[in-house]
Amino acid sequence: MLRFVGGLIRPYRSTLAVILLCMLVETAMSLATPWPLKIILDNVIGDHKLTPWLHHLLHPMLERGDKLHVAALAAVALVLIAIVGSAASYIDNYYTESVGQWVAHDLRMRLYQHLQRLSLRYYSTHETGTILSTLTADIQTIQGFASSSTLSILVDLLTILCMLGLMFWLNWDFTLIAVAVTPFLLLFVSRFKKAVKKATHEVRKEQSAILAVAQQDLESIQVVKAFGQEKVEEKLLFDVSEATVGAALKARSIKALLSPVVNITVALCTAVVLWRGAALILAGSMTIGELTVYLAYLAKFFKPVKDLATTTNAVAQAAVGAERIRSILDTDAVIPENPDGLEPETLAGEIEFDHIAFGYDADNPILTDLNLKIKPGQFVGIVGPTGAGKSTVVSLIPRFYDVQSGTVHIDGHDVREYKLKPLRDQIGYVLQDTVLFRGTILENIAFGRPDATKDEIIAAAKLANAHDFIMAMPNGYDTLVGDRGSTLSGGQRQRIGIARVMVRNSPILLLDEPTAALDSESEKLVIDALEKLMKGKTVIAIAHRLSTIRDADQIVVIAGGVVAESGTHDELMAKNGLYADLHRTQFDAGSDKVESPQPQEQ
Ligand code: ADP
C-alpha cells in the first residue's frame, strides 16, 4: 500500500520537501514552547543556574538585577515561538491539502482511463454502483491519507524521540517512570489498528452495496413502478442500509475506545509525575521549572502517540481504498491494443469469420466452429433461436470481445492487426434501443462523429427521418434530452440513433434488431431511414422478424454454435430446413408485427 501511495505522491516531491521543512519547524517550536516559562520560574523567580549558552546570553542582565528584562524577553520568545510555529503550520496545511487533492485527481484519471479501456466482459460481471463507489469514496480515503498522514507519521515519531531525549537530559530516571506505560499504549494502538481496519472494511462494503442497490433500482425505475415492486426494492435498500448502520456503529465503538484509553493513561502518568516531582522538588533535586517542562511535555507526548493511532485509522481506510482501487487497476480484462496496428482510411467491408470459437467464459462455449464470408456491400441477415449467439457474432467484429480461437478478418486482415479506434471508426452500430446521453439533440447526433458540422448533422437527421420531429421540438436541435433519452419515444430515439450512424458514414453497418421494439407506424419511418443508411455498405442485420431481412443477399441461420444454413430466402425456403421452420412458426403464429395491428406512435 505504501509503495502504491508512494508512487502516487512521487511527482510532488518538492512540495513534500516544503511540507516536511514546515513540519520540522512546527515540531521544534512545539518543543520550545514550555522553555520560556521554565526560565521565568527557575531563573527569574528562582535562583537556579542557566544552561551554558543561555548563561552566556542572559547572565549579564541577571547580574545587573534586570530580572524583569529577562522575563520580558521570555515573554517575547513565547510569542515568537507561537508566530513561527503557526506560520509553518499554515503553509504545511495548505500544501498537504494541495498534494492530497492532486494525488486524488491523478488517481481518478488513471482509474477512469482504465475503466474506459476495460472490456465489456468486465462490466457484465461487476456492478456499476461498486465501481462508482471506488471512483469516489475510495479515492477520497487515499486523498485523506496522502494529504494528512504520510508525513505526519514521520513528524510524530520525530516529536516523540526529541521529547524523550530532552526529558532524559533533564532527569533520566524520572523520565523512565513518567513514560513507563508507553510500550503498553503502543501495543494497545497496534491491536487497535487491526480491529479498526477490519471494521472499516465492513463499512465500506456495506456502503457500496447501498450504491449498487439504489443504482440498479433507479436505472430500471419504470419497470419497478410498472410491476409495483417499490416495496420490494425498499426492503432491499432497507437491509443494506441497516447493515451499514450496524457496521458503522461497530466500527465507531472500536474507534471511540482510543480517546478514553489515552486520556486515562495521560492522567495516570501526570499523577505519577506530580506526586514524584513534588517529592523531588522538596528534596531539592528538581526545579519547579523542570517539573513544568515535564508536565507540558507529558501532555504533548501523548498527542503524537494518539495521532499515530488516529493516523492508523486513516492508514487502515486508505489501505482498504487502495486494495479496492488496485483490484480494478490490476484487472487486465482489456482488449489488447496493437500499437503498430493498421489504421485504415476506409475499408471495403469484406468480412470473414474463420473457424471461430467463443464463449463468455471458458466452460460455456457459445460459438464452436463458425464460418462465414461476407462480400463488400453485401446485405446479410442473421437469424436463429434466441440465445444462439447472434449478437455475440456481431460483437466480435468491432472487437468488443476477442475470439478464443479462429480469426475474424476484415478486408483480409485479422481484426487484431488493426488499431482499435480506427477499426471501430469504420463500423456503425444500431441497436434495439438507442441510448442517448444527457445533452442536446445536436450533441447526441454528433456523438457519431464529433467533428461533424451542423449542416452535416442536419443532413443526416433529414435522411434519418428525424429532422421534422426535431424541428417541432421547442428548441429544435438544441433541445435537451433527459437521461438516456427518456423524453423521446422509442421510434424517435431510433431515428436519432440512425442519424448518429449516418454522420459517421462508415462502410460496415451492424444492425441488432433496430425495429424490434417499435410499433408499425414508427417502424415504417425507421425502416425507410435504415434503407437509406444501408446504401453502399456492408450490412449485417440480426433479425427476429424474418420479413425485415427477406431481401438480404445472404441469410445465415446460427444454431448450435455454428452456421447451420445459409442462402437467399428462396434457397432456404426450398431447402425446407431450420429457416423454413422458423418462417412457418412466425407465419402461423401471425407474430410478424408488420401484418398485425399496432398502437400508433404518440
Ligand atoms: P442471441 O443474440 O442469439 O439471442 P446472444 O449472442 O445475445 O444471443 O447470447 C448468446 C448466449 O450468450 C446467451 O446464452 C447469453 O445468455 C450469453 N451472453 C450474452 N451476453 C453475455 C455476457 N455479456 N456475458 C455472459 N454471457 C452472455
Side-chain angles (χ1 to χ4, degrees):
M1 206 279 285
L2 276 179
R3 198 176 315 143
F4 178 63
V5 178
L8 290 170
I9 58 180
R10 195 163 305 131
Y12 304 99
R13 276 184 305 244
S14 45
T15 318
L16 287 173
V18 173
I19 297 170
L20 187 65
L21 188 72
C22 289
M23 284 181 158
L24 292 178
V25 171
E26 276 176 83
T27 308
M29 292 306 116
S30 144
L31 290 173
T33 310
W35 288 83
L37 184 62
K38 180 184 181 302
I39 290 172
I40 291 180
L41 287 175
D42 286 353
N43 312 114
V44 177
I45 299 173
D47 265 333
H48 293 281
K49 274 174 86 183
L50 282 160
T51 26
W53 66 274
L54 273 176
H55 181 86
H56 186 71
L57 203 71
L58 302 178
H59 187 66
M61 279 191 226
L62 291 170
E63 285 285 273
R64 283 203 308 274
D66 290 347
K67 281 199 163 183
L68 281 181
H69 258 109
V70 176
L73 275 179
V76 170
L78 195 82
V79 175
L80 280 180
I81 288 169
I83 290 175
V84 174
S86 308
S89 153
Y90 179 85
I91 300 172
D92 158 23
N93 256 314
Y94 177 81
Y95 281 114
T96 34
E97 181 65 21
S98 143
V99 169
Q101 291 290 349
W102 286 113
V103 162
H105 170 79
D106 295 347
L107 189 57
R108 210 176 286 131
M109 290 321 294
R110 199 165 122 193
L111 193 62
Y112 202 59
Q113 275 161 7
H114 190 72
L115 283 170
Q116 298 262 38
R117 284 180 56 238
L118 277 179
S119 135
L120 292 180
R121 200 186 288 269
Y122 183 81
Y123 292 97
S124 56
T125 51
H126 291 78
E127 285 164 330
T128 319
T130 316
I131 299 174
L132 282 182
S133 135
T134 300
L135 197 59
T136 50
D138 287 323
I139 288 196
Q140 206 163 1
T141 61
I142 300 278
Q143 176 201 325
F145 176 73
S147 59
S148 66
S149 312
T150 26
L151 289 174
S152 60
I153 295 177
L154 264 178
V155 174
D156 283 341
L157 283 174
L158 189 72
T159 313
I160 294 173
L161 286 178
C162 291
M163 280 187 185
L164 275 179
L166 281 167
M167 281 152 93
F168 267 98
W169 176 64
L170 285 174
N171 197 332
W172 71 269
D173 44 354
F174 184 57
T175 306
L176 281 185
I177 303 170
V179 297
V181 290
T182 312
F184 299 103
L185 199 65
L186 281 172
L187 194 72
F188 167 76
V189 164
S190 74
R191 285 280 162 83
F192 182 81
K193 175 178 143 183
K194 281 201 194 93
V196 166
K197 181 176 174 186
K198 195 159 157 265
T200 311
H201 210 315
E202 283 304 309
V203 176
R204 290 288 309 120
K205 223 169 75 191
E206 296 301 340
Q207 279 172 341
S208 63
I210 291 186
L211 259 179
V213 168
Q215 197 243 351
Q216 227 171 51
D217 173 46
L218 297 178
E219 219 169 43
S220 39
I221 190 82
Q222 197 175 356
V223 185
V224 173
K225 281 185 194 296
F227 285 86
Q229 292 293 302
E230 292 95 335
K231 285 273 171 278
V232 177
E233 293 294 323
E234 276 165 30
K235 173 81 175 69
L236 279 179
L237 195 80
F238 181 90
D239 289 345
V240 280
S241 178
E242 200 184 32
T244 313
V245 174
L249 286 180
K250 192 173 162 212
R252 175 54 71 181
S253 71
I254 299 173
K255 283 184 210 168
L257 263 182
L258 179 68
S259 274
V261 169
V262 172
N263 287 345
I264 291 170
T265 313
V266 172
L268 280 175
C269 293
T270 312
V272 171
V273 165
L274 274 175
W275 172 62
R276 280 293 301 156
L280 287 175
I281 291 172
L282 288 179
S285 51
M286 189 187 235
T287 69
I288 296 180
E290 277 169 10
L291 181 65
T292 317
V293 171
Y294 263 95
L295 288 174
Y297 277 4
L298 215 52
K300 282 179 193 270
F301 182 74
F302 286 102
K303 190 179 168 296
V305 173
K306 197 168 113 180
D307 279 352
L308 269 186
T310 330
T311 311
T312 37
N313 187 8
V315 174
Q317 273 184 351
V320 174
E323 264 164 39
R324 292 163 55 99
I325 291 168
R326 287 275 295 274
S327 78
I328 294 183
L329 285 179
D330 291 347
T331 309
D332 53 3
V334 290
I335 295 290
E337 171 72 295
N338 185 349
D340 308 316
L342 304 167
E343 295 184 56
E345 268 299 313
T346 325
L347 291 171
E350 185 195 52
I351 302 170
E352 185 183 354
F353 291 85
D354 186 14
H355 296 287
I356 298 296
F358 176 80
Y360 290 95
D361 51 74
D363 315 329
N364 206 354
I366 307 285
L367 308 172
T368 47
D369 183 23
L370 186 120
N371 293 289
L372 177 60
K373 264 193 177 144
I374 299 166
K375 295 198 196 82
Q378 245 190 353
F379 169 25
V380 175
I382 297 189
V383 299
T386 307
K390 302 182 291 290
S391 304
T392 307
V393 169
V394 165
S395 68
L396 297 177
I397 299 171
R399 281 187 80 197
F400 289 152
Y401 303 96
D402 273 340
V403 292
Q404 263 128 26
S405 71
T407 328
V408 181
H409 291 285
I410 297 184
D411 283 12
H413 292 282
D414 186 335
V415 280
R416 287 165 292 199
E417 288 175 32
Y418 294 103
K419 279 193 175 170
L420 265 184
K421 181 161 170 19
L423 170 71
R424 288 179 181 167
D425 280 347
Q426 301 289 314
I427 299 169
Y429 220 129
V430 187
L431 300 173
Q432 202 174 89
D433 192 13
T434 297
V435 174
L436 300 182
F437 297 95
R438 185 185 283 279
T440 63
I441 301 232
L442 191 82
E443 285 162 353
N444 265 293
I445 298 178
F447 193 76
R449 186 161 61 85
D451 61 357
T453 63
K454 186 162 183 181
D455 289 343
E456 286 173 321
I457 288 172
I458 293 174
K462 279 183 178 159
L463 284 172
N465 296 336
H467 182 71
D468 292 342
F469 86 78
I470 295 173
M471 290 313 285
M473 293 182 140
N475 294 315
Y477 282 85
D478 296 322
T479 308
L480 283 171
V481 293
D483 252 355
R484 304 174 84 84
S486 52
T487 45
L488 299 175
S489 78
Q492 291 172 331
R493 277 205 300 276
Q494 286 310 71
R495 281 177 275 157
I496 289 184
I498 292 171
R500 188 189 264 176
V501 177
M502 203 81 90
V503 284
R504 205 169 168 83
N505 197 23
S506 47
I508 297 173
L509 181 62
L510 308 177
L511 307 176
D512 197 343
E513 307 193 54
T515 58
L518 303 180
D519 55 76
S520 53
E521 184 63 23
S522 54
E523 183 180 33
K524 276 190 202 121
L525 288 167
V526 171
I527 288 184
D528 179 65
L530 281 172
E531 277 168 1
K532 286 183 255 173
L533 177 65
M534 284 156 63
K535 269 202 191 91
K537 294 182 166 55
T538 304
V539 181
I540 302 183
I542 298 176
H544 182 61
R545 267 173 297 151
L546 305 184
S547 59
T548 52
I549 47 131
R550 199 188 168 107
D551 298 330
D553 301 316
Q554 190 186 176
I555 296 171
V556 177
V557 184
I558 292 181
V562 297
V563 171
E565 282 175 16
S566 73
T568 61
H569 171 78
D570 294 338
E571 287 165 4
L572 291 177
M573 286 307 281
K575 202 170 171 186
N576 203 13
L578 264 173
Y579 178 79
D581 272 353
L582 282 169
H583 197 268
R584 257 193 306 277
T585 323
Q586 283 201 355
F587 189 74
D588 291 348
S591 68
D592 200 320
K593 281 205 263 170
V594 177
E595 272 103 30
S596 57
Q598 288 291 324
Q600 299 289 303
E601 186 189 357
Q602 294 298 307

